[in-house]
Amino acid sequence: MKIITVCGSYKFEKEMKEITEEMALKGNCMITPIDLTKPNKEAYTEEQALMLDRMHKEKIKLADAILVVNVNGYIGNSTKSEIEFAKSLNKEILYYTDLIIK
């Protein structure tokens, strides 16, 4: 069993939920981003957005690996930052596009 933190753009919320369920059913402990109640992170104050980013990085620290939900190869700036942070901690990096059934 691995502990895996899910990373990716909120525009791929549906895919994040699907792959999280699939990975959990394979015996992994999945840590997900919070469910935002506002339409996107831009709807939060700068302070709140920074707090969300810091908390997500704490989730990365807890994990053995991160799972980057990169639908159609898309990786936004926040996710790029999370990948670099995970690499700095020697975490395994998994990519959605490598895991989905093609």
Side-chain angles (χ1 to χ4, degrees):
M1 175 183 77
K2 288 184 184 175
I3 299 171
I4 303 172
T5 296
V6 179
C7 301
S9 172
Y10 278 100
K11 66 180 162 185
F12 303 127
E13 183 177 4
K14 176 183 172 276
E15 291 86 352
M16 278 196 240
K17 288 179 178 181
E18 290 171 352
I19 195 69
T20 296
E21 178 183 50
E22 181 181 326
M23 295 297 287
L25 291 171
K26 290 181 179 179
N28 297 290
C29 178
M30 304 301 291
I31 302 173
T32 60
I34 66 162
D35 285 331
L36 297 178
T37 59
K38 297 181 182 181
N40 54 49
K41 281 186 23 185
E42 288 74 33
Y44 292 86
T45 67
E46 183 177 341
E47 183 178 305
Q48 290 170 329
L50 287 171
M51 177 60 71
L52 291 171
D53 288 341
R54 281 194 301 271
M55 290 293 91
H56 198 68
K57 286 190 173 145
E58 289 299 318
K59 292 176 180 182
I60 292 170
K61 286 181 185 178
L62 296 171
D64 301 312
I66 66 168
L67 170 56
V68 179
V69 181
N70 60 328
V71 176
N72 297 320
Y74 177 82
I75 299 174
N77 290 330
S78 289
T79 305
K80 285 178 188 173
S81 149
E82 292 162 359
I83 293 168
E84 290 307 311
F85 182 70
K87 285 180 179 177
S88 77
L89 299 173
N90 296 313
K91 304 293 182 176
E92 181 180 5
I93 315 294
L94 306 168
Y95 291 90
Y96 172 80
T97 51
D98 294 336
L99 299 174
I100 59 172
I101 299 170
K102 298 182 183 186

